[in-house]
């Protein structure tokens, strides 16, 4: 089964709880300000009815239970401001549509288009360049990168290893004998229904229940490696394996091996379960530009300014089909045609990469279910126009 993360089947009450803890948005507003709560009725509001980004709770202002900081790189990767008109139209549903209309209808609050290191288009609504957006399941692609780096450094011997080699605490559980590869390609055999199970786990973790205990309680439902079932718990277990294999907490490994060398420019936060376990399946709070820097890292084959951050072989392996039973999923990356791939999260969060056009697009929003297949049509049109303009300038 191919399922995008957290689809429309989410019950409104569960969505409300999941969106209110941890907080969907963080900005540089005063730490004493209260974060808004979201109700089921607000979840069904129109495309323009989004509240402004919420200020962080007091606990987010430093290292504390609930959030771990990711500090800006000591050598930030400069993204050059090269804004230019981006007049894009495309056909969807038999109608000619415009990029401006798409951004409005989908409640897009952060939108960045990169042509290499050039920011050719940038749009914010009820947010700004410094706003920190919730990644939701885009985080899974960061966790995949961390696994690839750990393999490259020899902390993990192979993706074919059983997860219990690195997390012996899972011996005798439903994860016993499951390979890291089957976790990566969402084929763990765990009996899981994403739209009902992940809200419970997410809220329980936010309330202080250890994700490690929740992972141990999962049940085996089918033979690992035989089908695709999108399971956020798999990605938590991968993050746990990274921490155990490297001897470094997951967020610190991400800081040293991704955030610093990839040149992330702003302070960010990563949610935890208040017991020191990072929510590697969700909950990076970062700027749209830093999400774009991560997309650019993968566009460049894992390199940043000539330095290999993620092994090139891992980037290639992660962004091609990982199993015959699902040609649309790699290793924690969603796949499109012509080599396109994306990190995708609840409510329309996207890091969309087109190697063919040399373009990265980031879309961040509070939450919206508008867009769907139209997003792909809109982004393809944007990428094609950016590439066309680049060729015209070169000529």
């Amino acid at each position: 089964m191919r399922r995008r993360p957290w689809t429309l089947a989410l019950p409104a009450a569960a969505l409300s709880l999941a969106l209110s803890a941890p907080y969907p948005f963080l900005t540089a507003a005063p730490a004493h300000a209260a974060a808004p709560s979201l109700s089921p009725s607000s979840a069904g509001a129109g495309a323009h009815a989004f509240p402004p980004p919420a200020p962080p709770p007091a606990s987010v202002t430093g290292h504390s239970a609930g959030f771990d900081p990711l500090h800006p790189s000591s050598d930030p990767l400069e993204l050059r401001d090269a804004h230019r008109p981006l007049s894009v139209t495309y056909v969807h549903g038999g109608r000619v549509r415009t990029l401006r209309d798409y951004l409005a209808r989908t409640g897009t609050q952060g939108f960045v288009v990169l042509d290499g290191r050039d920011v050719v288009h940038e749009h914010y609504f009820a947010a700004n360049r410094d706003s920190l957006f919730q990644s939701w399941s885009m985080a899974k692609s960061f966790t995949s990168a961390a696994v690839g780096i750990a393999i490259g450094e020899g902390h993990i011997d192979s993706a074919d290893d059983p997860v219990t080699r690195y997390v012996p605490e899972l011996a005798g559980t439903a994860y016993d004998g499951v390979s890291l590869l089957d976790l990566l390609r969402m084929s763990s055999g765990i009996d899981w229904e994403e739209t009902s199970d992940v809200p419970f786990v997410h809220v329980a973790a936010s309330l202080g229940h250890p994700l490690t205990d929740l992972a141990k309680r999962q049940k085996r439902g089918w033979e690992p490696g035989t089908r695709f079932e999108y399971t956020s718990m798999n990605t938590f277990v991968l993050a746990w394996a990274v921490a155990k294999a490297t001897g470094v907490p997951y967020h610190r490994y991400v800081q040293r091996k991704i955030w610093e060398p990839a040149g992330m420019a702003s302070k960010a936060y990563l949610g935890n379960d208040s017991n020191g376990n990072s929510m590697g399946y969700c909950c990076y709070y970062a700027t749209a530009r830093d999400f774009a820097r991560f997309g650019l890292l993968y566009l460049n084959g894992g390199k940043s300014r000539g330095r290999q951050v993620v092994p090139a072989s891992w980037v290639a392996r992660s962004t091609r089909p990982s199993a015959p039973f699902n040609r649309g999923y790699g290793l924690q990356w969603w796949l499109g045609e012509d080599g396109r791939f994306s990190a995708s999260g609840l409510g329309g969060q996207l890091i969309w990469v087109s190697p063919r056009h040399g373009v990265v697009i980031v879309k961040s929003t509070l939450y919206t279910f508008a867009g769907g297949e139209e997003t792909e049509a809109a982004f393809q049109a944007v990428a094609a126009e950016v590439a066309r303009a680049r060729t015209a300038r070169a000529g």
Side-chain angles (χ1 to χ4, degrees):
M1 178 186 304
R2 186 182 179 201
R3 177 180 296 136
R4 287 281 177 174
W6 292 31
T7 63
L8 274 171
L10 262 180
L15 176 61
S16 175
L17 282 171
L19 285 168
S20 60
Y23 299 88
F25 272 106
L26 303 177
T27 69
H32 57 75
S37 61
L38 301 176
S39 66
S41 60
S42 69
H48 300 285
F50 296 102
S59 63
V60 178
T61 57
H63 179 79
S64 59
F67 298 88
D68 290 301
L70 296 172
H71 299 285
S73 172
S74 60
D75 183 22
L77 174 67
E78 179 187 3
L79 297 180
R80 298 177 291 253
D81 287 324
H83 297 182
R84 52 182 179 263
L86 194 59
S87 220
V88 172
T89 61
Y90 57 95
V91 176
H92 180 75
R95 295 177 54 191
V96 176
R97 302 177 183 268
T98 68
L99 175 62
R100 180 187 296 270
D101 180 56
Y102 168 83
L103 295 177
R105 282 187 298 100
T106 57
T108 300
Q109 296 190 281
F111 189 73
V112 174
V113 180
L114 293 185
D115 181 4
R117 287 171 60 177
D118 290 344
V119 181
V120 297
H121 189 79
E122 193 166 20
H123 162 91
Y124 294 100
F125 171 74
N128 57 54
R129 190 179 292 182
D130 297 322
S131 296
L132 304 187
F133 296 93
Q134 226 298 21
S135 68
W136 294 114
S137 286
M138 294 195 307
K140 292 178 171 66
S141 300
F142 284 86
T143 297
S144 174
V147 172
I149 294 168
I151 291 174
E153 292 186 328
H155 298 295
I156 295 173
D157 286 339
S158 169
D160 293 320
D161 287 343
V163 67
T164 47
R165 178 172 177 180
Y166 305 99
V167 189
E169 293 90 335
L170 290 173
T173 74
Y175 279 106
D176 199 346
V178 177
S179 69
L180 295 172
L181 177 60
D182 279 336
L183 297 176
L184 286 158
R185 62 184 182 174
M186 295 298 185
S187 186
S188 66
I190 296 301
D191 185 12
W192 183 271
E193 175 56 48
E194 182 77 3
T195 55
S196 57
D197 289 337
V198 77
F200 167 78
V201 166
H202 182 70
V203 174
S206 300
L207 295 175
H209 297 281
L211 279 163
T212 49
D213 288 352
L214 295 172
K216 294 174 187 176
R217 296 176 188 174
Q218 300 309 307
K219 305 298 182 183
R220 178 71 62 82
W222 41 279
E223 184 65 23
T226 61
R227 76 180 205 220
F228 175 87
E229 185 64 50
Y230 191 85
T231 304
S232 284
M233 185 59 76
N234 292 345
T235 314
F236 166 72
V237 171
L238 286 169
W240 189 7
V242 167
K244 294 281 287 185
T246 63
V248 179
Y250 171 85
H251 73 278
R252 291 184 186 169
Y253 195 69
V254 168
Q255 173 75 57
R256 296 175 188 175
K257 302 301 180 178
I258 299 176
W259 220 255
E260 171 66 28
M264 306 310 187
S266 299
K267 189 173 185 178
Y269 297 92
L270 176 57
N272 64 50
D273 64 359
S274 302
N275 290 274
N277 302 300
S278 295
M279 293 178 171
Y281 64 93
C282 77
C283 307
Y284 279 75
Y285 299 80
T287 65
R289 283 193 169 208
D290 277 344
F291 285 135
R293 286 179 173 92
F294 185 64
L296 184 61
L297 179 68
Y298 266 66
L299 177 66
N300 292 332
K303 282 187 176 181
S304 178
R305 295 164 292 190
R307 175 181 176 180
Q308 198 72 47
V309 177
V310 183
S313 59
W314 187 257
V315 172
R317 185 178 183 183
S318 300
T319 56
R320 65 174 182 249
S322 58
F325 46 76
N326 188 1
R327 306 293 297 175
Y329 199 73
L331 302 181
Q332 310 276 295
W333 288 88
W334 294 91
L335 311 180
E337 297 178 357
D338 296 328
R340 294 189 301 275
F341 54 92
S342 61
S344 179
L346 168 66
Q349 324 304 323
L350 276 174
I351 303 171
W352 187 92
V353 182
S354 173
R356 174 188 174 189
H357 294 108
V359 170
V360 174
I361 302 175
V362 168
K363 175 179 178 287
S364 298
T365 182
L366 178 54
Y367 58 100
T368 178
F369 296 114
E373 293 181 359
E374 183 180 351
T375 295
E376 191 68 15
F379 283 19
Q380 286 185 55
V382 169
E385 173 56 23
V386 170
R388 184 204 63 77
R390 182 198 311 134
T391 300
R393 289 196 310 277

